[in-house]
Amino acid sequence: MTRDRQIEIFKRLYDVSRETINQLLDYEKLILSYQKDFNLVGRGTLDQIWIRHFADSAKIFPIIKKNLDNYKNNPIKLIDIGTGAGLPGVVFSIISEVDGFKSRVFLVDSNQKKCRFLNKVKEKLGLSYQVVNERSEKLKEKFDVITCRAVSSVLDILNKNHSMIGLRAKILLFKGKNWEIELKESKKKWKFKCNVVKNNKLLDSTGGVTLELTNIKKI
């Protein structure tokens, strides 16, 4: 699929401003510029950045925005675990800051080189997120929204990061076609409500989903 076609699909999926598109174009340039030195994304996905990475990351924005009443007009505190190149955290930051959506975003990764890249992106694009070069399980703060894209299993994420799950926390997990197996395994040790949001077929035809976990408690 051509890059122009990918951008066209992104625009069809998400009603974003021209400013948002321009910010994403600049972000794409930075990924391509630093890919060789920082190994930011899978080499085989470099010609599919807008669909495989940007459009896939942007899907969390409408999920978060639909439940604003839970946050009483306070900025939503979001943490992106194992953010890597900033996916979905940077994409969410770009969309929310241009949109005027109130949020405080923390991008967490244990890889120092990737964190250096994230700080370069922050500086170049004028974004306000915070970069944390640490293993997520060492953080004890509470968050409203926890995101994690293709890092580890549902059970592993819950076990390692339970200390950051606030009373009304929502966890958004990007999962492939085997998500049901992971969910079944995690329910042996955790109680939660789960809303399964299927990927738009323009975005993915392999059966991928976003798992939206709420009311999370250890058994």
Side-chain angles (χ1 to χ4, degrees), residues 144-201:
D144 301 311
V145 179
I146 300 163
T147 64
C148 190
R149 183 175 185 259
V151 174
S152 56
S153 69
V154 176
L155 181 59
D156 195 46
I157 290 162
L158 290 171
N159 285 342
K160 287 183 176 179
N161 302 288
H162 58 87
S163 62
M164 64 174 67
I165 301 171
L167 288 174
R168 295 185 177 182
K170 181 195 302 292
I171 301 181
L172 299 176
L173 304 176
F174 296 59
K175 289 296 170 183
K177 61 183 179 181
N178 295 322
W179 60 269
E180 289 177 280
I181 297 171
E182 286 193 33
L183 211 53
K184 185 177 180 180
E185 189 67 22
S186 64
K187 285 183 176 179
K188 294 176 183 177
K189 295 191 175 181
W190 291 86
K191 287 177 65 177
F192 49 80
K193 289 183 180 178
C194 180
N195 180 37
V196 180
V197 183
K198 293 183 179 180
N199 287 344
N200 189 298
K201 289 187 178 179

Side-chain angles (χ1 to χ4, degrees), residues 16-28:
V16 298
S17 68
R18 184 68 229 174
E19 184 182 352
T20 297
I21 295 295
N22 287 337
Q23 287 271 63
L24 289 170
L25 286 167
D26 288 341
Y27 181 31
E28 178 191 28

Side-chain angles (χ1 to χ4, degrees), residues 17 39 48 51-52 59 79 81 85 90 108 130 139 142 144 147 168 170 173 180 183 187-188 194 200 202 213 219:
S17 68
N39 190 29
Q48 300 290 313
I51 290 295
R52 289 286 298 276
K59 67 187 180 183
I79 185 167
I81 296 172
V90 170
V108 179
Q130 294 184 44
L139 305 180
K142 301 294 185 187
D144 301 311
T147 64
R168 295 185 177 182
K170 181 195 302 292
L173 304 176
E180 289 177 280
L183 211 53
K187 285 183 176 179
K188 294 176 183 177
C194 180
N200 189 298
L202 286 171
L213 309 185
I219 294 175

Side-chain angles (χ1 to χ4, degrees), residues 108-135:
V108 179
D109 204 283
S110 60
N111 186 300
Q112 192 173 49
K113 288 180 74 174
K114 288 186 171 66
C115 287
R116 290 210 317 269
F117 169 76
L118 293 169
N119 279 315
K120 287 178 186 291
V121 173
K122 178 181 177 179
E123 180 183 353
K124 294 282 187 182
L125 273 57
L127 298 170
S128 62
Y129 59 72
Q130 294 184 44
V131 179
V132 183
N133 181 203
E134 186 58 272
R135 298 190 67 83

